[in-house]
């Protein structure tokens, strides 16, 4: 059943449930779910809020658990784009936030297993709230004309491929994957300039878009000492990319999903030196805090399966000014804290 197809009975129970939550009548709310489990599909027609939002606001764990026991989705957003996690946080219920986060991790991992076992259809796959960066599909993007402006690289639909506000983050990523040999993806070349300042012995750049590649050549990257450019999709060039061991690797593409990034992560152990550092642009779920937290945890778990430990440094970043996004179709980052990943082999 989808959220728009609840019956009038479920709508009636949904409204009663809302009132019970507002009045913190937990026993009544639990009885209502028992009597009509399908009330979990009710959504307030104006606010878009769900029974999970209201349960989270009560701070009652049993009620939140009752939502999940009755298959309430963890990732419903209200009309303002707020998740149930944010409702819990607003009331100061950190343990409820964490319970919803755990459920999100569990649900996404199960979805991934189903996808592996059955090959889910595209429309179901795309129900996952998370893309690694910003839209559209990678292949569509690679066929589009791009536009460089002073501090932005936009695709033909006005999506921000790379933006100047990310410069301080690129500096930090460059610092952690520091000297000798590097691999990166180009965009505005912000991280590449930072890496060059650190005078690496060699620096490999992988870039698939013809316009970006031309821009790289026009700005002299083709003849910089120690710089090697591999032109093409990383997926199609793994043999050339992994012909050596890197002390630092940075991954930051465009129009790819988390599953693409995971596929790249599986290649990292074959080309990172024993004490090397891997990092990636962590735009995962960058417009909803709960989604971002769920996917940081999932990436951490998947990397741990590869014997790689991930620590996240929290960086305050606030690109909320309207001017930053002038002419850009979608604000792909809306959070106050960036989780900068440092990934290293777990020592035996
Ligand atoms: C977000 S930008 C990288 C920005 C870069 N970190 C910087 O500091 O300027 C992503 C780049 O990856 C390239 N790209 C996208 N998909 C790719 C793929 N499958 N293989 C290789 N490069 C890709 C894009 O053309 C774009 O230049």
């Amino acid at each position: 059943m989808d959220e728009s197809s609840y019956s009038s009975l479920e709508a009636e129970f949904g409204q009663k449930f809302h009132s019970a939550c507002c009045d913190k009548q937990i026993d009544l709310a639990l009885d209502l779910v028992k009597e009509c489990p399908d009330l979990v599909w009710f959504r307030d027609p104006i606010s878009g809020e769900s029974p999970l939002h209201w349960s989270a606001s009560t701070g009652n764990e049993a009620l939140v658990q009752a939502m999940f026991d009755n298959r309430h989705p963890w990732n419903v957003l209200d009309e303002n784009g707020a998740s149930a996690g944010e409702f819990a946080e607003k009331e100061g219920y950190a343990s409820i936030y964490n319970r919803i986060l755990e459920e999100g991790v569990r649900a996404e991992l199960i979805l991934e297993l189903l996808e592996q076992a059955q090959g889910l259809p595209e429309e179901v796959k795309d129900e996952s709230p998370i893309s690694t960066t910003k839209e559209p599909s990678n292949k569509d993007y690679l066929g589009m004309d791009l536009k460089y402006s002073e501090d932005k690289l936009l695709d033909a639909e006005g999506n921000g491929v790379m933006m100047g506000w990310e410069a301080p983050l690129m500096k930090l990523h460059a610092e952690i994957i520091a000297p000798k040999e590097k691999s990166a993806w180009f965009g505005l070349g912000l991280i590449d300039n930072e890496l060059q300042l650190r005078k690496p012995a060699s620096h490999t750049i992988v870039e698939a878009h013809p316009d970006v590649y031309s821009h790289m050549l026009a700005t002299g990257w083709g003849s910089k000492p120690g710089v090697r450019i591999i032109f093409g999709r990383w997926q199609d060039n793994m043999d050339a990319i992994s012909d050596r061991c890197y002390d630092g690797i940075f991954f930051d593409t465009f129009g790819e999903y988390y599953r693409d990034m995971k596929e790249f992560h599986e290649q990292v152990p074959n080309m990172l030196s024993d004490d090397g550092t891997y990092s990636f642009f962590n735009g995962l779920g960058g417009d909803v805090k709960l989604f971002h937290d769920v996917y940081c945890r999932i990436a951490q778990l998947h990397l741990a399966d590869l014997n790689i430990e991930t620590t996240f440094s929290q960086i305050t970043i606030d690109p909320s000014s309207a001017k930053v996004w002038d002419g850009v179709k979608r604000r792909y980052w809306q959070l106050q804290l960036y989780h900068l990943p440092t990934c290293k082999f777990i020592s035996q």
Side-chain angles (χ1 to χ4, degrees):
M1 189 188 300
D2 84 21
E3 60 203 57
S4 58
S5 60
Y6 46 79
S7 68
S8 55
L9 180 74
E10 284 140 22
E12 186 191 323
F13 269 83
Q15 265 145 7
K16 282 189 191 158
F17 182 84
H18 183 200
S19 303
C21 289
C22 290
D23 298 341
K24 297 233 172 150
Q25 291 185 289
I26 306 300
D27 290 342
L28 172 60
L30 286 167
D31 285 346
L32 288 166
V33 193
K34 242 185 234 153
E35 215 177 316
C36 180
D38 279 347
L39 71 77
V40 298
W41 299 106
F42 178 69
R43 302 291 174 265
D44 184 278
I46 295 166
S47 68
E49 290 167 9
S50 72
L52 183 62
H53 284 94
W54 303 325
S55 303
S57 297
T58 69
N60 185 283
E61 270 188 47
L63 199 52
V64 169
Q65 188 55 45
M67 296 296 100
F68 293 140
D69 291 346
N70 288 290
R71 297 189 298 123
H72 194 306
W74 67 276
N75 54 4
V76 179
L77 299 180
D78 73 5
E79 286 298 319
N80 296 320
S83 71
E86 284 163 274
F87 273 49
E89 264 192 340
K90 201 166 78 192
E91 301 296 328
Y93 299 129
S95 66
I96 298 288
Y97 183 89
N98 288 334
R99 176 67 197 90
I100 300 170
L101 191 155
E102 264 172 35
E103 182 63 20
V105 171
R106 196 186 69 86
E108 289 298 298
L109 291 176
I110 290 175
L111 193 67
E112 186 205 343
L113 286 177
L114 286 172
E115 190 175 324
Q116 279 165 5
Q118 304 169 355
L120 293 184
E122 281 306 316
E123 65 274 16
V124 177
K125 281 185 195 169
D126 290 346
E127 272 179 20
S128 167
I130 316 298
S131 67
T132 55
T133 48
K134 307 129 191 175
E135 295 177 300
S137 88
N138 192 249
K139 286 200 170 144
D140 289 348
Y141 157 73
L142 292 174
M144 282 179 188
D145 290 341
L146 303 185
K147 202 169 89 193
Y148 275 98
S149 65
E150 199 188 324
D151 65 345
K152 290 185 193 82
L153 172 61
L154 301 182
D155 72 10
E157 292 173 358
N159 291 297
V161 177
M162 186 63 190
M163 296 180 63
W165 67 264
E166 295 178 50
L169 296 178
M170 292 302 133
K171 183 165 189 251
L172 292 169
H173 278 289
E175 267 164 24
I176 62 167
I177 66 167
K180 290 196 207 149
E181 197 148 4
K182 303 283 169 289
S183 169
W185 276 254
F186 197 79
L188 290 178
L190 299 178
I191 193 163
D192 306 281
N193 282 320
E194 287 293 337
L195 292 171
Q196 283 296 304
L197 290 176
R198 290 161 178 79
K199 306 205 182 324
S202 69
H203 177 170
T204 297
I205 303 170
V206 184
E207 175 52 55
H209 200 292
D211 292 358
V212 179
Y213 181 58
S214 305
H215 178 83
M216 290 171 81
L217 298 183
T219 49
W221 282 87
S223 54
K224 280 196 200 282
V227 171
R228 147 176 104 141
I229 303 172
I230 298 176
F231 175 48
R233 297 182 78 222
W234 64 265
Q235 295 88 334
D236 302 334
N237 288 281
M238 272 325 297
D239 284 350
I241 298 170
S242 62
D243 69 345
R244 62 189 68 179
C245 229
Y246 299 93
D247 297 312
I249 301 176
F250 180 63
F251 183 83
D252 179 12
T253 67
F254 180 79
E256 298 199 307
Y257 288 94
Y258 174 73
R259 58 179 172 274
D260 301 300
M261 184 196 267
K262 181 173 174 256
E263 199 182 312
F264 182 79
H265 286 177
E266 284 158 11
Q267 305 285 339
V268 169
N270 303 329
M271 50 185 181
L272 185 66
S273 64
D274 289 349
D275 58 353
T277 304
Y278 168 64
S279 191
F280 54 90
F281 175 70
N282 191 359
L284 295 165
D287 40 13
V288 180
K289 180 176 180 291
L290 178 67
F291 296 177
H292 181 64
D293 289 344
V294 163
Y295 263 78
C296 281
R297 182 76 190 120
I298 287 179
Q300 197 174 39
L301 289 170
H302 281 144
L303 284 159
D305 284 346
L306 300 165
N307 197 38
I308 294 173
E309 182 177 47
T310 306
T311 49
F312 293 105
S313 313
Q314 295 194 334
I315 311 295
T316 305
I317 183 105
D318 179 18
S320 60
S321 123
K323 200 166 170 280
V324 170
W325 299 97
D326 202 21
V328 181
K329 191 171 165 193
R330 190 173 80 89
R331 292 186 185 215
Y332 57 82
W333 182 262
Q334 302 191 27
L335 310 179
Q336 303 291 320
L337 277 185
Y338 180 78
H339 288 80
L340 184 105
T342 301
C343 311
K344 302 198 66 94
F345 283 118
I346 298 167
S347 41
Q348 302 299 323

